[in-house]
């Protein structure tokens, strides 16, 4: 009987080599390709800016660069306006959330004071405050979406606070 030679590598070795090649491409190849693409794009842009400037003298330099500088200023101004818009939207979102939170706390405290004034039992008082809040500030509950255990803890806290007053 003759010996059979297997020329194909084991499947595990092929899989390991494929994973190593994939990792190399992901970690080294793609960032290198991105850097080369940035260089390939940057070189013609710099050349278009530098060639007219190199050919001109003195005040002609400013004249040659003026359109490019105006375009650059336009891009910078657009980016600044976009950044300010995002910050303003973030700030107003915080302000709206603060108003909802204040409305929720105020409604809970009002109901807690009323429950204490009526001398309701603790369970009945908690139920009264929860139903009052759901009827009084449904928008705040919808926007904030507090979990029921958090809302119950807030109600109990405000009931204890109202009982001390």
């Amino acid at each position: 009987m003759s010996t059979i030679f297997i020329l194909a590598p084991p499947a595990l070795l092929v899989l390991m080599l494929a994973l190593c090649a994939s990792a190399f491409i992901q970690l080294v190849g793609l960032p290198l390709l991105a850097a080369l693409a940035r260089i390939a794009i940057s070189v013609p842009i710099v050349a278009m800016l530098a060639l007219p400037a190199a050919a001109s003298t003195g005040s002609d330099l400013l004249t040659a660069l003026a359109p490019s500088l105006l375009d650059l200023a336009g891009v910078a101004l657009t980016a600044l306006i976009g950044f300010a818009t995002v910050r303003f939207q973030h700030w107003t979102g915080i302000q709206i959330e603060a108003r909802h939170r204040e409305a929720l706390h105020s409604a809970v405290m009002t109901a807690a004071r009323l429950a204490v004034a009526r001398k309701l039992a603790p369970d009945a008082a908690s139920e009264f405050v929860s139903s009052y809040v759901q009827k009084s500030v449904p928008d705040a509950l919808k926007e904030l979406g507090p979990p029921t255990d958090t809302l119950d803890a807030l109600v109990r806290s405000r009931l204890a606070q109202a009982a001390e007053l």
Side-chain angles (χ1 to χ4, degrees):
M1 182 171 259
S2 65
T3 308
I4 299 176
F5 292 102
I6 299 176
L7 297 177
L12 188 59
L13 180 63
V14 171
L15 181 61
M16 287 182 351
L17 289 174
L19 286 174
C20 288
S22 175
F24 180 80
I25 290 170
Q26 291 287 327
L27 297 175
V28 177
L30 292 179
L32 181 62
L33 184 63
L36 291 175
R38 281 194 296 269
I39 290 171
I41 292 171
S42 300
V43 167
I45 292 173
V46 170
M48 284 189 298
L49 290 174
L51 288 178
S56 64
T57 58
S59 66
D60 292 339
L61 176 65
L62 186 57
T63 306
L65 288 179
S68 300
L69 292 176
L70 287 174
D71 289 342
L72 184 62
V75 168
L77 186 60
T78 302
L80 184 64
I81 290 171
F83 177 74
T85 302
V86 168
R87 294 295 296 166
F88 180 74
Q89 288 173 344
H90 179 70
W91 178 75
T92 55
I94 290 173
Q95 297 300 317
I96 291 169
E97 182 180 332
R99 278 190 254 136
H100 284 307
R101 191 172 49 250
E102 181 62 33
L104 177 65
H105 283 273
S106 176
V108 169
M109 194 60 190
T110 301
R113 287 181 183 152
L114 187 58
V116 168
R118 290 183 181 176
K119 297 180 182 173
L120 296 175
D123 291 336
S126 180
E127 183 64 33
F128 171 76
V129 172
S130 294
S131 66
Y132 179 87
V133 166
Q134 289 175 356
K135 293 175 189 171
S136 176
V137 286
D139 291 339
L141 286 174
K142 181 181 170 190
E143 266 317 299
L144 297 173
T148 37
D149 58 338
T150 303
L151 189 59
D152 288 340
L154 178 64
V155 166
R156 284 190 306 255
S157 169
R158 296 298 184 187
L159 280 170
Q161 187 178 8
E164 291 175 0
L165 296 176

